[in-house]
Amino acid sequence: MSDFAQKVALVTGGGSGIGRAACQRMAAEGASVVVVDRDAATAQRTVELIEAAGGKAIAVTADISSLADNIAMFDAAEQAFGGVDAAFLN
């Protein structure tokens, strides 16, 4: 069993590049993923890729330099999946 099975992972910069790859890998390992990015469309595309592969994810538009956005992304994780077990601040 993977260390990510039944866990919730939050990934900033999850809309592309290394962040997207990390999201996809964590989802493949069984995590529910909170895909955070400043660009809503790229975050949603990562969610679509995860869901197409059978995983669970939500997209959150946020700028981590904003305190309000940080609070909102963790609130979204709590609402969707019950909290966060791991965070990759990409």
Side-chain angles (χ1 to χ4, degrees):
M1 179 179 265
S2 164
D3 288 337
F4 285 107
Q6 311 274 327
K7 302 293 183 182
V8 177
L10 181 144
V11 180
T12 63
S16 63
I18 293 170
R20 177 176 281 169
C23 289
Q24 290 176 291
R25 180 57 188 251
M26 289 177 195
E29 294 288 330
S32 297
V33 182
V34 180
V35 181
V36 180
D37 204 278
R38 291 181 296 177
D39 184 315
T42 61
Q44 186 57 43
R45 178 65 182 138
T46 299
V47 168
E48 291 166 0
L49 292 168
I50 290 168
E51 289 176 341
K56 296 181 200 172
I58 62 167
V60 176
T61 306
D63 179 343
I64 64 164
S65 69
S66 162
L67 177 59
D69 283 5
N70 275 272
I71 292 167
M73 71 184 174
F74 281 96
D75 285 349
E78 177 75 29
Q79 190 171 49
F81 301 122
V84 173
D85 297 297
F88 175 40
L89 306 178
N90 175 46

